[in-house]
Amino acid sequence: MTTAAVLSALLLAGCAKETTLHSGLEERQANLVMAALLDTGITCHKVPGEEGTWNVMVDERRFADAVNLLQKAGLPRKNHQGVGEVFKKTGMISSPSEERIRFMDALAQDLAQTICGIEGVIDARVHVVLPENDPFARHTLPSSAAVAIHARWDADLTDIVPSVKGLVKNAIEGLQYEKIMVTIFHDDPPKK
């Protein structure tokens, strides 16, 4: 066998079949997915998808490892709808209740998206309660909020709880600091 034939055989043997791990990602999400994979030694690359999106490709032999790793890392992150998207008017007239519900949902999603940007946070949910109080009533119900944070197993986020509570308090008019609860849930450490 000639040297060229041996080299060709080695190259063909080294070529692994690739499969699409994720498709239709925004470039930032594709880069985050690739960074997480490359940090753990899983070879990957991105290829252009449809309408300005990206697909992340991996060796099909490492597909299961990649899926498990990304699931633990909470990647790719979900796209949260912002206030502008939630408040898109679909009908001619919206009831005050519909407007209130859309506003509370949009506010909660915007806060969750901000919290997701904190290092160590995989995902976050914010639940806002804004009771409809009678302005002439003697006793009113206070507003409240609950924040659930899904964190990496190795992230110590206890120091950020006051900052998260302050963020939520300042984003919701009339909300008192003591009416905000922040709960942090950690992933299990990776198996060795």
Side-chain angles (χ1 to χ4, degrees):
M1 211 176 212
T2 67
T3 306
V6 170
L7 286 175
S8 294
L10 287 174
L11 283 173
L12 288 174
C15 291
K17 187 170 179 190
E18 287 186 329
T19 187
T20 304
L21 179 63
H22 280 286
S23 61
L25 297 176
E26 295 174 352
E27 187 167 19
R28 182 177 183 283
Q29 289 297 324
N31 290 342
L32 289 171
V33 165
M34 287 182 55
L37 294 173
L38 293 170
D39 278 349
T40 60
I42 298 175
T43 304
C44 62
H45 66 277
K46 65 183 180 186
V47 295
E50 295 178 13
E51 299 180 17
T53 62
W54 294 90
N55 302 333
V56 177
M57 310 297 290
V58 295
D59 180 335
E60 70 178 14
R61 294 173 294 189
R62 299 295 311 266
F63 184 81
D65 295 333
V67 168
N68 291 331
L69 174 89
L70 294 178
Q71 182 179 6
K72 287 266 186 216
L75 292 172
R77 293 197 175 174
K78 293 178 259 175
N79 287 330
H80 295 276
Q81 291 182 320
V83 175
E85 294 170 69
V86 173
F87 272 101
K88 282 183 181 172
K89 201 160 190 157
T90 55
M92 291 285 286
I93 300 172
S94 295
S95 73
S97 295
E98 287 176 319
E99 289 294 327
R100 183 175 179 74
I101 290 167
R102 279 194 207 111
F103 173 73
M104 288 184 349
D105 185 51
L107 187 59
Q109 287 192 46
D110 277 357
L111 285 166
Q113 186 172 11
T114 301
I115 294 166
C116 282
I118 298 170
E119 178 65 33
V121 174
I122 294 171
D123 198 11
R125 294 274 193 191
V126 178
H127 302 278
V128 179
V129 178
L130 301 173
E132 286 191 53
N133 286 315
D134 181 355
F136 302 109
R138 220 170 211 196
H139 301 287
T140 60
L141 297 171
S143 298
S144 62
V147 180
I149 297 175
H150 176 197
R152 280 194 332 252
W153 68 275
D154 60 344
D156 182 9
L157 301 178
T158 51
D159 291 344
I160 68 151
V161 170
S163 297
V164 169
K165 288 176 82 169
L167 172 75
V168 174
K169 177 192 174 297
N170 290 324
I172 302 172
E173 185 178 359
L175 182 61
Q176 297 173 350
Y177 188 84
E178 56 276 357
K179 290 292 185 182
I180 305 166
M181 178 167 192
V182 177
T183 308
I184 300 172
F185 302 93
H186 285 89
D187 262 353
D188 293 328
K191 295 175 185 168
K192 296 185 178 187

